[in-house]
Amino acid sequence: MFQDTLDECRSLADQASEELKRVWSAPEHERSAISSAAYNLLKQADDGLASLQLEAKAAPADERARIAKEEERLRGELRKIAQELQKARRELLLPDAGHSGSTDKLFLSKEDRRRSSAVSQSLRNGADRLKDANRTMAETEHIGVETLMELRRQRETIHRTQDRTTDLGQNLSSAEKAVQELEKPACILM
């Protein structure tokens, strides 16, 4: 079972190596497609190594050590082919993106995959927290604007009330004077 996976990965590595040799001698218009094919073969080998790591967990300890050694040797070969593919892409000015990706993320060890996954998860969590913070900020801004509008209405109400009390005070003063005039004894001349 483990040997089959290792053999399949080796076969994929050999095929990728052959595609890589073809990319140098191929006509210019075919190079990008050949480069993509080599990348896809390397990606399949990478997936095979990842499944081998999972399968190896169930193996006996002595076989697990042997598998780990073979896996590391194969991983080194695949990294070398991936680096050669990157070099060919650079020198032949072939695209890195699109449907074929960068070879930098291929053939990571279990620890590298775990760290990479943890960093990716941490970045996703940070992005989620930023989205929540932005949403909270927008809600706070909306509440602040509504509060300012309500305070302005209250201020206008207070000013109107003050104006009315001023008018009322003047009317009260006029009424007091009128009452005092009425209370004065009237002088009658005859």
Side-chain angles (χ1 to χ4, degrees):
M1 178 161 106
F2 303 117
Q3 194 59 43
D4 292 342
T5 305
L6 284 170
D7 290 343
E8 180 184 345
C9 289
R10 278 194 187 92
S11 172
L12 290 168
D14 291 341
Q15 291 174 30
S17 183
E18 288 302 314
E19 290 293 312
L20 186 59
K21 289 175 186 173
R22 281 187 49 218
V23 82
W24 289 102
S25 60
E28 191 171 327
H29 67 278
E30 294 178 9
R31 288 178 179 169
S32 184
I34 295 171
S35 168
S36 293
Y39 173 81
N40 289 334
L41 290 168
L42 290 173
K43 179 73 174 124
Q44 288 175 4
D46 183 48
D47 293 342
L49 284 177
S51 68
L52 181 68
Q53 286 177 339
L54 293 174
E55 292 173 8
K57 289 181 181 179
D62 60 329
E63 191 172 355
R64 203 176 314 141
R66 182 186 62 79
I67 292 169
K69 284 174 66 175
E70 286 191 43
E71 175 195 346
E72 271 308 306
R73 190 172 68 244
L74 182 57
R75 188 180 304 281
E77 292 172 24
L78 290 168
R79 277 190 191 125
K80 183 180 175 193
I81 295 170
Q83 288 170 350
E84 289 173 10
L85 177 60
Q86 261 327 92
K87 179 182 175 190
R89 283 178 169 177
R90 273 192 309 273
E91 289 183 17
L92 298 174
L93 302 175
L94 298 175
D96 223 11
H99 58 282
S100 67
S102 172
T103 59
D104 295 340
K105 294 182 180 167
L106 295 178
F107 314 116
L108 299 175
S109 68
K110 184 178 176 182
E111 271 303 302
D112 292 337
R113 287 178 194 270
R114 187 187 59 74
R115 274 195 306 269
S116 176
S117 175
V119 167
S120 297
Q121 185 61 39
S122 174
L123 289 173
R124 279 191 294 275
N125 290 343
D128 290 343
R129 283 194 300 271
L130 280 174
K131 286 178 187 174
D132 289 342
N134 283 336
R135 191 176 317 109
T136 302
M137 180 205 56
E139 290 171 5
T140 303
E141 182 179 16
H142 179 72
I143 290 169
V145 167
E146 286 181 350
T147 303
L148 283 173
M149 290 171 55
E150 180 62 28
L151 287 171
R152 182 175 187 183
R153 281 192 293 270
Q154 289 177 3
R155 180 175 185 239
E156 290 171 358
T157 302
I158 289 171
H159 283 300
R160 279 194 310 270
T161 304
Q162 283 177 338
D163 291 342
R164 287 183 187 146
T165 55
T166 301
D167 291 343
L168 187 61
Q170 290 174 355
N171 290 341
L172 187 57
S173 296
S174 297
E176 263 183 32
K177 287 181 185 176
V179 168
Q180 286 175 356
E181 285 294 322
L182 287 175
E183 289 179 346
K184 284 185 186 176
C187 202
I188 300 180
L189 287 174
M190 297 211 203

